[in-house]
Amino acid sequence: PKRARTAPGASNPAASTTPAVSVPAASEIVDLDIGGTRFRTSRATLRKSSFFAALLEHEGMEGGRTAEGAIFIDRCPTLFKDILEYLRTDLAPCVREGSMEADRFRSEFEFFGLDPEQIETWSEQIITARYHWTNFREDGVTPAIQRNLDDGWRVKKITSAGNGGDDD
């Protein structure tokens, strides 16, 4: 079956339910070649970085372009993927504090003129402690001890306190 076409300028009820999407004009789209990997984004996104803002401001001084016309920048494409996502969404990468990855992201943020303090970090802590629980059952654990085990405690060592009998 053929669909009825809406005349130019007439209201289309189906179009009113579709959310408006902002599509950049072709002149606003930028192709990048970061370390051999292609990226495509808008000038508005790139201008959030002082590095790219300066690069785009001086179009004639962009320098290295590939045969396809993409701007070539000799940086790590794996890290740049997250940097571009940050420019698009303001969601910074989250890396383990003190890791080599955190150092690499800080370096890339600085290179692209971004604040490295925006990088989210996390750390892990291992807590060890010695607890003594008395279990008066030989065939299993008491309900109080079982509750501790259910809460995530791990038994590393079981010793007998002895009751003076021959079976200790």
Side-chain angles (χ1 to χ4, degrees):
K2 289 187 174 184
R3 293 187 179 163
R5 297 182 71 176
T6 305
S11 131
N12 181 351
S16 64
T17 60
T18 306
V21 177
S22 174
V23 178
S27 63
E28 285 295 306
I29 296 173
V30 179
D31 288 317
L32 302 169
D33 182 329
I34 310 293
T37 301
R38 297 290 300 260
F39 293 90
R40 178 173 276 185
T41 190
S42 69
R43 290 177 182 274
T45 296
L46 293 177
R47 284 187 191 109
K48 296 176 185 177
S49 152
S50 62
F51 172 86
F52 284 113
L55 188 71
L56 295 173
E57 185 178 324
H58 304 289
E59 289 279 341
M61 299 175 62
E62 288 177 1
R65 285 197 175 258
T66 65
E68 295 83 23
I71 299 170
F72 179 76
I73 300 170
D74 193 16
R75 302 302 283 191
C76 176
T78 304
L79 297 174
F80 185 75
K81 174 183 66 73
D82 290 322
I83 289 170
L84 184 56
E85 188 65 20
Y86 170 69
L87 293 173
R88 289 173 172 154
T89 64
D90 288 326
L91 296 175
C94 185
V95 294
R96 188 168 54 92
E97 188 175 318
S99 67
M100 185 174 10
E101 184 182 30
D103 293 340
R104 292 176 69 201
F105 268 115
R106 277 190 202 90
S107 174
E108 292 300 291
F109 263 59
E110 289 172 359
F111 178 86
F112 288 110
L114 302 169
D115 180 9
E117 294 299 316
Q118 297 302 309
I119 299 169
E120 300 282 334
T121 59
W122 60 272
S123 61
E124 64 182 359
Q125 296 178 344
I126 299 173
I127 301 171
T128 58
R130 179 176 286 187
Y131 289 90
H132 174 78
W133 291 307
T134 303
N135 188 38
F136 294 107
R137 293 179 54 186
E138 290 184 19
D139 61 338
V141 296
T142 62
I145 292 175
Q146 186 61 53
R147 280 192 301 276
N148 288 318
L149 294 174
D150 291 343
D151 286 341
W153 289 87
R154 185 178 62 177
V155 175
K156 190 171 183 180
K157 182 178 179 184
I158 298 176
T159 59
S160 172
N163 62 2
D166 292 335
D167 59 346
D168 289 349

